[in-house]
Amino acid sequence: MFAQNNAGLKGIVLDEQNIPLPGATVTLNVEKHGTVTDENGEFILANIPVGWYILEVSFLGFEKFNKKIHLLNYQQLQIRLHSSVHELQEVNISEFTKERQREVTTSYTFVDQSFLTKNESGSLMQTLSKLPGISSMDIGSGNSKPVIRGLGFNRVVVAENGLKHEGQEWGHDHGLEIDQHSVERIEIIKGPASLMYGSNAIVGVIDLRQLAVPVRNSKGGNVEVRSATNNKLYGFSTNLFQRNENWYWKARLSGKSYSDYRVPADSIEYMSYYFRLHNQQLRNTAGFEASASTTVGYQGTNSASHLTLSNVFMKSGFFANAHGLEIRSSLIPYDESDRDIDIPSQQVNHIKIMSNSYRTTNLAEFRLDIGYQHNLRKEFSEPVPHGYMPLPPDTLERQFSKHAASLHASTSIHSLEHHELKTGLSAEFQKNIRSGWGFIMPDYSSMSAGLYIVDKIEISNHWLISTGLRYDVGSISTADYKDWYSTPVNEVPVRLERAWRLNRNYHSISWAIGTTFLNGPLQLKMNAGKSFRMPNAKELSSNGLNYHMFRYEKGDSTLNAEESYQLDLGLDLIKPRWEVHLSTFINYFPNYIYLNPTAQYYEAQQIFYHRQSQVFRSGGELSASVKMTNELSWNMDIEYIWSVQLSGEKKGYTLPFTPPFSATTGFSFEQNLKGWLPNFYTGIDLQFTADQNRIVPPEKKTPGYQLVNLRAGGTVKLENLHVELSLQFKNIFNVKYYDHTSFYRLIEVPGPGRNLFISLNFPL
Amino acid sequence: MNKVLLLALLFTLSFTACEKMSDDYDDESPVIDMTAIDASPQNCITIFRGEPLEFNAVFTDNIELGSFSIEMHHNFDHHTHSTDAEHCEEEGEEEEKTPVSPFRWIENYTIPSGLKSYTATVTIPIPQGVDVGLYHFMVRLTDAAGWQTFKGISVKIAEK
């Protein structure tokens, strides 16, 4: 029993259904005395000096229990935890990231829901562009393309639960078809990643994870509503989930609608032509998005499997006065409404069915991911006769219907001492069918398969080496295509042949070798790797006028698979009061596939053709933060990319869309107060972007600018309702600036003006 | 800490090394000069069926000119891509109409290599049978590096 002047506490921890919770953490005065509940949910804390204590009980997936107690002698307590139903929880995330941070030998960033909420922007990539080394190529206010360290298009892989997302990544104006609210956490790898992800993972991977599993015997959901002032956005997203012992389901429904967005300018001056803007709004850039997804899953002790079905539909308009580079005036009454979507416009419907499963034994872990997706993209323009093309019959300029099936199977053997051996196989099949009156590339089908092996060697507790090898084979077959109208050739009308049947086979070896060295606050990383990318159908077989850019684009059927060699160095210093993260890279392409603007014309349009050249790139990111007090911290992010073409017709030039040097610095204040506004946070950021004077045709030099952004939020307690509030005030001084990598940069359209964004998240 | 310094050094070195690499590339677009007295066609002029249209302009570039193209198409639907800020008076008067036999000219022209300045003259025959009305005359010019400039001119084809 207990000694006279000592007290003790005995108790049981239960959930709302009075089921005992084994493994809950019980502490008195934070860490001073602590224990974990046994298999019956019971605990004992003995030999505690008499006095006042703060008892804290926590268990993953449940709200923390707090109580001030006066321990005089032996006491008994029954503690009931309430599940934090509005949040889906997973295996201990911080442990998980720590481990991943160690085993990924290139730069690794983990993004959780709280980052996404605090920084939410018009599209997923705009939200993520706050991270150093990540940027977005924006197409208006609701669409964007991913860019990692200055490269995008087909050189970045966006994956969902390990399987590649398949859209029409080659297009300048084709954004990412993903509902940003469906994303639960994101892993970003900056560095060569073909070893695990195959073709296209040249500069990195953005892997969206939707694998959060609800806790046992729980149900719940939330509704988020949001609004923004600049593009009069209204949006909502709601999710529901339920789990019994092992089976669970999740469902989500999201929608948003936005008007033409506002720029701090009364007119746009392009090619000495003035487009007067109505109400400072960028004519016909409104849009809407609707998406739904549902998951059914089984979570056992040693195995899990889930199946997700999702559909994303998005439609948005293009700036009406100059689609691509051509200036047009139209009879469409664009200014009648700022919410209607007239032509030119684009719409995409993306269906995805995915299954992710694993099974763990004492020896190994087996994983199987299977997916099917259908991306249906339609692009509408006013039918206009052009060149020899007569008046087209309708507004459907381009349509692409892409079916993709993919599979990834892997085995990790974790029973070996000091080694973790992983082997895997992935395969993919694609078919892309085009239609519409504007021809840019022919129909194609492609297949690829890869086999890899990775070994992680624990040299010591501090030192890990990771090395791997992969072999891929692939093939692409493109169809032939003839114009639907005739062109006079020596005065004889001929339906010109634009594409020919082509079959190309590729094979490539990828590899990586890297190391992580951990010593107290210091973490050093080094990685060397080779990645590759099979040329796509547009690079091989395009042969037509790209009306969105107003240029004649020509493929090259002899292109080889693009290869990239990269060396990454990383340094992280994490002290209790301050942190420094530095990651740098040097990158060499012996045969970068480049769409080269030439001096020649074809049917009066400038010819751009695909060529391969040597490219050297270097750059990196530097982040630092200092905790000035427990609540107040200062942070800074710097990023810089430098690239040069070492051979070919553009020797000495940079690569297109190279982001300028940028630095962001700011203060943030976070407080975990109790009361009516717990978890209060606020922050101010100054974003400094330098001039970009290193350009390549048809780009324009872009002057630098500074933006100031504010954010604030917290949990608002209204009776029993805990509402998460998030506010963002962007470009507060309404600065007129040009975003060098925006789709609209070439037609001198400035970036969006002042914008106040608000979101409210209610638990159900 | 030595390792930290070494890495920081490597980082700065790689940047400064990059900055010193070749910077002598062309980043200027060529220029289409149609301000001369004999430059033709001028915006909003009227030309006649059965008579040739003379194109006359001076092209200049800081390094080397590339090539040029001329494209003429009807503007019966009144779409605008004139690069001259001024609208032509005729545009308001003309009715929109359906083309029957519109005039069309799509040609690419070379410029002898190595030139920084070139006076382009092209004679474009306008046949008798083409539709009268508003047309666009587009000139596009590249330099050897692939920079492009274009100029859009509104012209009217009329019956003599």
Side-chain angles (χ1 to χ4, degrees), chain A residues 343-362:
Chain A
I343 36 182
S345 67
Q346 57 173 338
Q347 71 175 56
V348 195
N349 194 78
H350 197 104
I351 298 177
K352 209 179 258 191
I353 305 169
M354 260 186 320
S355 144
N356 306 85
S357 314
Y358 73 83
R359 179 168 182 81
T360 318
T361 68
N362 289 336

Side-chain angles (χ1 to χ4, degrees), chain A residues 271-273 326-329 331 387 569 584 599 601 603-604 606 619 640 642 650 652-653 694 697 699 701, chain B residues 10-11 18-19 23 25-27 67 69 80-83 96 104 106 108 140-143 145-148:
Chain A
M271 296 303 271
S272 66
Y273 193 91
E326 194 195 38
I327 301 155
R328 282 196 58 82
S329 73
L331 296 173
L569 292 175
T584 64
Y601 284 96
E603 291 184 1
Q606 189 182 2
Y640 182 63
W642 196 88
K650 290 293 178 291
Y653 283 86
R694 287 181 43 90
E699 291 185 332
K701 288 184 181 176
Chain B
L10 205 69
F11 187 71
C18 290
E19 289 298 357
D23 248 13
Y25 56 89
D26 180 16
D27 58 8
S67 63
S69 75
T80 300
H81 37 208
S82 161
T83 53
E96 279 191 47
R104 182 159 47 195
I106 301 170
N108 313 319
R140 295 183 175 87
L141 169 70
T142 56
D143 67 9
W147 295 102
Q148 180 179 243

Side-chain angles (χ1 to χ4, degrees), chain A residues 81-100:
Chain A
L81 294 185
H82 296 274
S83 64
S84 52
V85 284
H86 54 285
E87 279 289 326
L88 284 166
Q89 296 280 349
E90 287 188 79
V91 283
N92 198 328
I93 282 181
S94 69
E95 275 306 307
F96 170 84
T97 30
K98 239 190 206 163
E99 183 50 33
R100 289 287 285 158

